[in-house]
Each structure stands twice: as C-alpha cells, then as structure tokens.
Amino acid sequence: MTTRIEIGLNAVIVAVADPKPQVLVIGPDTPGNPDSLPFGPFDPVNHRTFEIGLRAWVEEQTALKLGYIEQLYTFGDRGRLYTRSDNRPHEVSVGYLALTRPSEESTEILGQMNARWRSWYDYFPWEDWRSGPPAVLEKHIAPALEAWANTLPAAGAPPRALSRKERVRLAFGMEKDVWDEEKVLDRYELLYEAGLVEEALRDERPAARQRESLPPLGRFMQQDHRRILATAISRLRAKLKYRPVVFELMPPTFTLTELQRTVEAISGRHLHKQNFRRLVENNDLVEPTGDTSTTTGGRPAALFRFRRAVLKERPALGLRLGSR
C-alpha cells in the first residue's frame, strides 16, 4: 500500500500590540473550537522555494507584508493529525516564524477571512512572568508534575538520560533552578507527556486518559499547532539575544519605553528601566530622530529609530537580557 504525502506550510505570524505578543490564528471563534495556525499548500509549479510560497499565500490571503522569516522545523510525525481511520494522506508541514506589523488594510481583510490576532499567552499562560510567577504554576502545574514525576514510566517506555524529576526541574526552574524563558517547547512537551493539556486527551495519550479532569492550561489548538507555536516562541526568545529581530516588530520611530515593552512582551520578563536603556545605548542599536512623542500622556518622550549601520559593524546585535 502506497502512502500519499502532502507538503504544507504553517506560519506562526507574530506581531506585538498593547503590548501583547500576538499570533495570527484562523477558524471559527466559538467555544470549544480549537484555533489553527494559518496554513497553505506548497505549490512547486508556481513557487521556486518554500519561503516564496509562504510569502505569496500569506500576502494574498491576509494583505500582511512579512518582514523577517525563518524556517523552524519540519513537522511530520505519524499521528500529528489524529484520526481513527488512517486513510488520509500523510501531512508533512514545514513550520515558519514570520514577523510583521499589521496595517488597516490587513485588519479589514483578516476580519473577512475569519482570522484574528490572539495573545500567545492565551495558549501558554505559564510563560508570562512580567508580573511575577504566574499563578497557574503554583496552583496547577507544580503539584500535577510532581505527582507525575513520582510515578514510574509505563512498561516499554524508551529510556531517557534524565529522570522525570530532573526533566521537570530543568524545564520549569523548580527547586531554585533558574527559569529559562527559551525552554517553551520543553515545558509544553513535558505537559503533553504528563497528560495535562487538551491535545494529549484528544490524542488519547494514556497519561491524559487516566485523569479525571485536566487543569486549565491555556487554549488548545488543532493538530500539533500548539507545539509549532511553542517552537516559534522558543526560537524568537533566543533570537532576541543575538539578532535585532525586535525592530521588525516596531514602527519606524518609537520611544524607548515602547521598545522595552515590546521586548518584555516577547520574553515574558519584566526588565529594569534604567538597565534596559543602558543595554540599548551601549549596544548602539538605536539613534535619536530629534522628534518627540506626546502620546505617552506625560512629558514628551524622545523618538528613536533602529540604527541600521550597526548591521555592518558587528555580527552579534541582540539584547542579552541576563538570567532571571
């Protein structure tokens, strides 16, 4: 029997507003209906590369002009599209991270396409540390993972170099370990393995079926789209530290407060105002425009722009935020 394979392109399209890290999702916005990442087929006849294909269908369907684009990973595990009858073509998806700034035209078209922006913390509420440790960690995640870590793996489970307790400790920064904001995917996959997220129950994972109920751990998504989104968040948080990708999310001119809030939104961390400004200024990432903004409600704030000359001056151009 020959298995048909279809290749598609999944886009994690990220913007920042209000200041929230927003991801574009599609599908009916009704209770119980999982969101989906934008998806388009790869057409090798009309598109020479995956990236060209991605840019073409995103612009056609959403009117969004994509800036920075990076390929994440190829998602093709058997069972990623769960069905009881396995007679559908096997779907292989190439995931992409794309950064953009919405326009009035794109907002109008997105409304017509049943698409919308949603904060990525709706899917990963434990990742937002801007106001301190999220309550969901202590209330739901820590006790559930502790109980899971104290049970033995099922017979026949593949051996791992680290025990469950060690994996939980490293991923979630428990027992006084440092919380690493880049380990978004590690944390989500642990929660899936422990049967604590809706996708594990939908996929009939044994750990989830054994539970009487699931804790409220964010909105779930179709197929493995929450895993793809976790991969994108991990990549973007890491990228902040050595590439100036944050400026792809900023308008042409901005205040330093607006820049700080955007970095905080993506990293999920609160940053000390003066330390952040020193970091930006010492790295020569921005330059003053000579103009000011009065939209802050207080004293006029100086406007800055990204100093593009820095791209030619040195290879590492990010914001190394230090550890929590």
Side-chain angles (χ1 to χ4, degrees):
M1 179 179 177
T2 302
T3 301
R4 291 185 298 140
I5 294 178
E6 293 182 351
I7 297 178
L9 306 174
N10 269 114
V12 179
I13 303 175
V14 175
V16 174
D18 295 332
K20 297 177 182 177
Q22 299 183 324
V23 60
L24 187 67
V25 294
I26 59 177
D29 190 13
T30 55
N33 187 72
D35 292 332
S36 174
L37 293 172
F39 176 89
F42 173 62
D43 182 357
V45 175
N46 294 311
H47 303 138
R48 182 171 55 84
T49 67
F50 286 164
E51 183 175 325
I52 290 173
L54 180 78
R55 288 184 182 274
W57 69 256
V58 167
E59 184 171 340
E60 178 183 348
Q61 294 180 21
T62 69
L64 286 168
K65 300 287 187 181
L66 300 183
Y68 177 85
I69 288 183
E70 179 177 346
Q71 187 177 129
L72 294 170
Y73 190 72
T74 299
F75 300 85
D77 293 353
R78 186 164 58 90
R80 64 184 300 265
L81 174 57
Y82 180 78
T83 56
R84 290 189 176 275
S85 58
D86 213 8
N87 55 3
R88 297 181 59 172
H90 183 62
E91 189 177 279
V92 175
S93 178
V94 182
Y96 277 86
L97 166 65
L99 308 183
T100 191
R101 292 192 293 269
S103 63
E104 291 185 8
E105 179 188 6
S106 67
T107 300
E108 181 178 345
I109 291 178
L110 291 177
Q112 300 169 0
M113 298 294 293
N114 207 14
R116 62 206 159 276
W117 295 101
R118 197 184 295 281
S119 170
W120 73 33
Y121 295 124
D122 288 353
Y123 307 100
F124 304 97
W126 57 88
E127 293 292 340
D128 188 359
W129 285 64
R130 288 175 293 177
S131 299
V136 69
L137 274 173
E138 182 179 356
K139 184 175 181 180
H140 295 292
I141 292 177
L145 284 179
E146 182 180 3
W148 174 75
N150 285 326
T151 61
L152 294 175
R160 292 182 177 270
L162 299 177
S163 69
R164 286 181 173 182
K165 286 185 179 181
E166 291 171 316
R167 291 164 59 208
V168 168
R169 177 176 59 80
L170 291 173
F172 283 87
M174 295 179 179
E175 299 179 15
K176 299 184 179 180
D177 276 85
V178 175
W179 175 273
D180 185 346
E181 65 268 16
E182 295 179 29
K183 293 183 177 178
V184 185
L185 179 60
D186 295 347
R187 287 187 280 271
Y188 173 72
E189 292 196 326
L190 264 177
L191 294 172
Y192 179 90
E193 185 181 344
L196 294 171
V197 291
E198 191 73 29
E199 288 89 341
L201 182 62
R202 178 200 62 200
D203 296 348
E204 298 189 354
R205 305 296 296 180
R209 284 186 289 140
Q210 293 168 6
R211 297 184 179 279
E212 294 182 1
S213 62
L214 295 180
L217 298 187
R219 297 179 64 93
F220 71 105
M221 303 186 80
Q222 289 189 20
Q223 301 180 28
D224 54 359
H225 288 195
R226 194 152 46 150
R227 181 178 178 230
I228 298 174
L229 177 55
T231 305
I233 298 172
S234 294
R235 184 71 61 84
L236 183 54
R237 285 181 168 183
K239 213 79 173 180
L240 278 182
K241 299 173 183 177
Y242 59 93
R243 289 289 183 270
V245 293
V246 66
F247 297 102
E248 297 282 350
L249 299 165
M250 302 300 299
T253 62
F254 47 83
T255 67
L256 291 183
T257 296
E258 290 169 338
L259 178 61
Q260 178 178 340
R261 288 178 177 170
T262 298
V263 174
E264 289 176 332
I266 296 169
S267 66
R269 301 177 53 180
H270 172 71
L271 303 172
H272 187 274
K273 181 177 179 178
Q274 296 306 321
N275 289 347
F276 177 79
R277 296 195 172 201
R278 276 195 296 270
L279 181 66
V280 172
E281 292 169 358
N282 290 343
N283 281 279
D284 291 327
L285 294 174
V286 300
E287 59 187 6
T289 66
D291 296 326
T292 60
S293 170
T294 58
T295 60
T296 59
R299 295 172 55 188
L303 286 171
F304 293 80
R305 57 177 166 251
F306 174 51
R307 194 174 72 85
R308 296 193 173 276
V310 76
L311 295 171
K312 301 178 181 179
E313 295 171 0
R314 62 183 189 274
L317 307 171
L319 295 166
R320 296 190 177 275
L321 306 176
S323 59
R324 187 185 302 285

